Amino acid sequence: ERFKAVQAEVLTSFGCSEETIATVTDESAEEVKQHAEDVRKMMKEALGGVQPMLPGIEIPPELSEDRVLEVYSEMQTLKIEKAKKLSIQTRGRQFSKEELASAIALLSQASEQDVLAKYRGSLGEPEVFLSAVALYGQSKDFQLKLLKLDATHRKQMVEAFKEAK
């Protein structure tokens, strides 16, 4: 009795009827199972420290490894420019490590959003780019290229804040 009431409430909240649920085909049931498996895989990757590839994302051919590295590098360049501006605007002010980390995180996020918005027409939604990074990131060669870009970026970020003092 209680189960039926809860079931009816859930069906109503989703705008479904028992008949609709009963007509789920084997094909759509298989699609739901595949989606659930893809989400489990994505969660396992994320929890394991690996950038997950979103289920159902197709990487366009123009989003090659080299193109991903170019866009990634452009994001880092914009982060450095924003960090330099912030450093100049706040010259002489002392920040706690937490404040500085928060500011860098915000400008990083803004830079990534700006660059991805710039290329939305040619690269698609941001999730496509992030999935491409995850896909190509399975290659040790690509990982090394990202590590080199990141090492240079970290040095430039430190310099951006030192220069304004």
Side-chain angles (χ1 to χ4, degrees), residues 87-102:
S87 184
I88 289 168
Q89 291 171 349
T90 59
R91 184 173 291 158
R93 181 160 179 243
Q94 294 295 318
F95 293 96
S96 69
K97 288 180 183 179
E98 293 80 16
E99 288 174 319
L100 192 56
S102 178

Side-chain angles (χ1 to χ4, degrees), residues 104-124:
I104 290 171
L106 289 172
L107 69 86
S108 290
Q109 186 178 31
S111 299
E112 290 170 9
Q113 288 173 349
D114 290 350
V115 172
L116 291 175
K118 175 181 173 182
Y119 294 114
R120 182 169 273 133
S122 61
L123 302 179

Side-chain angles (χ1 to χ4, degrees), residues 65 135-147:
E65 284 189 24
L135 174 67
Y136 300 140
Q138 296 170 8
S139 152
K140 293 289 182 197
D141 184 50
F142 186 82
Q143 289 175 14
L144 286 173
K145 290 175 183 177
L146 280 182
L147 285 173

Side-chain angles (χ1 to χ4, degrees), residues 27-150:
E27 183 179 309
S28 60
E30 210 38 57
E31 192 176 311
V32 170
K33 284 181 191 174
Q34 183 60 49
H35 181 71
E37 181 57 37
D38 289 344
V39 170
R40 271 193 289 281
K41 180 181 178 219
M42 187 178 76
M43 292 298 294
K44 183 178 178 184
E45 290 170 345
L47 294 172
V50 176
Q51 187 168 354
M53 185 165 168
L54 298 174
I57 298 286
E58 291 187 30
I59 310 300
E62 54 273 5
L63 196 51
S64 65
E65 284 189 24
D66 288 339
R67 184 68 180 126
V68 167
L69 290 169
E70 287 172 15
V71 173
Y72 189 83
S73 181
E74 187 174 336
M75 287 175 178
Q76 290 181 322
T77 299
L78 186 56
K79 291 175 189 180
I80 297 300
E81 290 171 10
K82 287 179 183 272
K84 286 179 180 179
K85 285 180 186 174
L86 175 66
S87 184
I88 289 168
Q89 291 171 349
T90 59
R91 184 173 291 158
R93 181 160 179 243
Q94 294 295 318
F95 293 96
S96 69
K97 288 180 183 179
E98 293 80 16
E99 288 174 319
L100 192 56
S102 178
I104 290 171
L106 289 172
L107 69 86
S108 290
Q109 186 178 31
S111 299
E112 290 170 9
Q113 288 173 349
D114 290 350
V115 172
L116 291 175
K118 175 181 173 182
Y119 294 114
R120 182 169 273 133
S122 61
L123 302 179
E125 295 298 316
E127 294 80 9
V128 175
F129 177 80
L130 297 174
S131 290
V133 172
L135 174 67
Y136 300 140
Q138 296 170 8
S139 152
K140 293 289 182 197
D141 184 50
F142 186 82
Q143 289 175 14
L144 286 173
K145 290 175 183 177
L146 280 182
L147 285 173
K148 286 180 185 176
L149 286 174
D150 287 341

